[in-house]
Amino acid sequence: MPELPEVEIARRQLSRWTAGDVVREVRVLDAAAIRHKRSTMPRDAHPDGVRALEAAVVGRAADEPMRLGKRLGWTFGEAPRGLQLHLGMTGQWVRRAPADEPPRFAKLGLVLDGRTLWFLDSRRFGCVVPSEDVPRELAEGLGPDAWLNPPNAEELGYLLRGRRPVKVTLLDQARLAGVGNIHAAEALWRSGISPERAGDDLTPAELARLAEELPAQLDEAIRTQDTDEFQYVTQGGENPFSVYGQHRCPRCEGDVAKLAQSGRTTWWCPSCQQ
Ligand SMILES: [Zn+2]
């Protein structure tokens, strides 16, 4: 599932591929991918989706796409109106030549001069949502962005407060926006902190390490994964991570362990993470 780095990469791609140009028309192959609210369900299809999508984008120049946490939004010369773009579990935007066949799993396309940007999704959790106030809807219910506004050690201590395991609280988007299962595990591994520790029990030195390693992890993921056709690890892409989905710890060569936390699998190294 896309986390902050993957969504930031999608944002940069859309920015590069549109470069402020005008959307000439839309091509809609699956109208249920246009929804009336942020939803993973095709049954929340917008009742008049094609028309709403056309009204939001056709004949308009693309502004710079915006991201907050794992959310992506886009306005087209009429801010704050525009679209929310949800990648869901497996959603992705790609660029193709206008004469090319729509790619496999294509749901809809934005046609610009000389290229079409397609939204693909093999599982139908992703969507676009015509929105009256994109920045407000993006920010709704979210804490600070973990990469644009990374908390210092003291702020992180406050955000992680409580008896919940630190890994679980890191995934709480209302506390800190953008970190998901993969990058929480990676940042804790880099910081040498066990995912089971309660937020309240982290020492100032541990908080300082985590405050440094968390944005560093996100930064590195953005730099290493920013290619034109990025492939999710869960979809057969190469695994660039240190503990997530791995068997051997690259630091101590010990076995990587798995743990169930709030219904998600946490990968970690019991000898490096105390
Ligand atoms: Zn280790």
Side-chain angles (χ1 to χ4, degrees):
M1 179 172 177
E3 300 182 27
L4 188 157
E6 295 77 29
V7 179
E8 174 61 20
I9 290 165
R11 191 195 70 75
R12 292 176 181 196
Q13 290 170 330
L14 292 173
S15 171
R16 285 202 292 271
W17 295 340
T18 50
D21 286 355
V22 170
V23 179
R24 300 297 178 192
E25 58 177 314
V26 297
R27 294 184 63 188
V28 177
L29 306 185
D30 179 2
I34 308 167
R35 302 204 178 132
H36 66 84
K37 62 174 183 180
R38 192 160 53 229
S39 165
T40 55
M41 302 290 177
R43 68 161 180 263
D44 287 319
H46 192 295
D48 196 7
V50 177
R51 205 196 50 79
L53 178 62
E54 283 174 346
V57 305
V58 173
R60 302 179 184 284
D63 297 326
E64 183 73 9
M66 54 186 108
R67 179 195 60 76
L68 191 66
K70 306 179 198 176
R71 296 182 188 162
L72 191 58
W74 211 356
T75 59
F76 296 81
E78 218 192 14
R81 281 192 182 166
L83 301 174
Q84 297 185 61
L85 312 177
H86 294 293
L87 302 176
M89 295 282 284
T90 52
Q92 185 174 21
W93 286 84
V94 299
R95 176 184 49 180
R96 292 287 184 272
D100 289 359
E101 284 294 303
R104 194 168 176 221
F105 305 125
K107 303 294 170 191
L108 53 89
L110 307 183
V111 182
L112 292 91
D113 294 334
R115 69 279 194 204
T116 300
L117 310 188
W118 289 102
F119 176 62
L120 328 177
D121 194 356
S122 59
R123 296 184 61 184
R124 299 188 92 201
F125 290 130
C127 64
V128 302
V129 184
S131 164
E132 284 303 307
D133 190 339
V134 176
R136 186 182 58 76
E137 288 173 22
L138 279 194
E140 225 164 39
L142 294 187
D145 187 87
W147 183 66
L148 290 175
N149 299 105
N152 64 28
E154 196 184 334
E155 292 161 343
L156 190 60
Y158 178 72
L159 293 171
L160 297 178
R161 70 193 179 278
R163 301 304 309 165
R164 275 193 304 187
V166 56
K167 158 74 174 10
V168 174
T169 308
L170 277 174
L171 303 192
D172 182 346
Q173 302 299 299
R175 296 276 184 100
L176 188 64
V179 182
N181 204 41
I182 295 177
H183 298 294
E186 293 290 303
L188 289 170
W189 176 80
R190 292 169 71 123
S191 309
I193 298 171
S194 159
E196 295 190 282
R197 298 275 299 284
D200 280 348
D201 293 343
L202 298 181
T203 66
E206 288 171 329
L207 287 168
R209 282 208 303 276
L210 186 55
E212 191 175 311
E213 296 297 346
L214 186 58
Q217 166 61 29
L218 298 171
D219 211 57
E220 205 175 288
I222 292 168
R223 276 188 286 110
T224 55
Q225 298 181 99
D226 190 2
T227 53
D228 250 23
E229 293 230 351
F230 161 83
Q231 203 183 8
Y232 294 119
V233 178
T234 48
Q235 300 266 288
E238 196 188 324
N239 183 349
F241 304 116
S242 298
V243 279
Y244 176 85
Q246 300 291 10
H247 299 290
R248 198 157 296 285
C249 170
R251 190 185 288 134
C252 72
E253 310 231 307
D255 287 340
V256 166
K258 283 198 281 185
L259 179 69
Q261 290 185 299
S262 293
R264 312 291 302 274
T265 301
T266 301
W267 277 264
W268 68 300
C269 173
S271 45
C272 291
Q273 296 175 252
Q274 303 295 322

